[in-house]
Amino acid sequence: IGDWKLRINYDEKNLNAYLRQALEYVQEKYNQDLSVRIVAGFLNISESYLAKLFKVELNLTFLEYLTRVRIRNAVELMKDKNMPIYEIAERVGYRDYRHFSTIFKKYMGVGPKEYQMKT
């Protein structure tokens, strides 16, 4: 199913140090309330600079990157067929189950319940 949309291609050794730190921060905190403002504040750089790093070096917006990390982690959690979708949504940082379902379907091509049953 559509996991090709989750792939992020970059050469880690050539990444800007701030961007590398931002990616690590998102990997650790993806299940919390995150925004480019929060991550830029953590790194002590401007939002616009961080946003530009994402666009130039990854060809993604911050939100696209965060979404891919969240959906990838949701896919992992779905290996447990007994875990309810609303719980998976919450665990990966979505407070609104319907919003999660919409985003999941956009990236994976099928709804979360259908995906969970197929895997």
Side-chain angles (χ1 to χ4, degrees):
I1 307 177
D3 68 343
W4 62 271
K5 289 183 180 177
L6 300 180
R7 291 201 195 101
I8 302 161
N9 299 318
Y10 59 89
D11 181 0
E12 197 167 313
K13 59 185 174 294
N14 290 327
L15 278 188
N16 173 291
Y18 285 121
L19 184 58
R20 192 176 303 124
Q21 285 180 283
L23 298 181
E24 286 173 18
Y25 189 83
V26 170
Q27 291 286 340
E28 289 171 24
K29 312 247 186 217
Y30 67 87
N31 60 343
Q32 299 173 19
D33 230 4
L34 275 188
S35 65
V36 72
R37 172 181 287 142
I38 290 168
V39 179
F42 170 76
L43 296 172
N44 218 10
I45 60 176
S46 76
E47 289 175 52
S48 58
Y49 180 61
L50 182 58
K52 184 178 176 186
L53 287 175
F54 270 91
K55 206 66 189 150
V56 169
E57 298 207 24
L58 300 181
N59 200 28
L60 296 170
T61 66
F62 173 82
L63 185 58
E64 286 169 333
Y65 178 75
L66 175 60
T67 300
R68 288 176 189 208
V69 169
R70 286 176 167 171
I71 298 297
R72 193 178 306 126
N73 281 283
V75 164
E76 279 303 303
L77 290 171
M78 285 176 183
K79 290 177 180 171
D80 177 353
K81 301 249 185 272
N82 298 318
M83 189 179 296
I85 299 299
Y86 72 85
E87 189 178 325
I88 292 170
E90 281 181 20
R91 284 197 185 186
V92 299
Y94 288 95
R95 306 295 165 246
D96 179 352
Y97 164 78
R98 285 186 308 275
H99 180 62
F100 167 74
S101 293
T102 302
I103 298 295
F104 190 92
K105 187 166 187 167
K106 178 180 167 190
Y107 276 81
M108 301 306 291
V110 296
K113 194 71 198 160
E114 189 181 342
Y115 184 90
Q116 187 182 39
M117 297 333 287
K118 283 184 178 178
T119 55

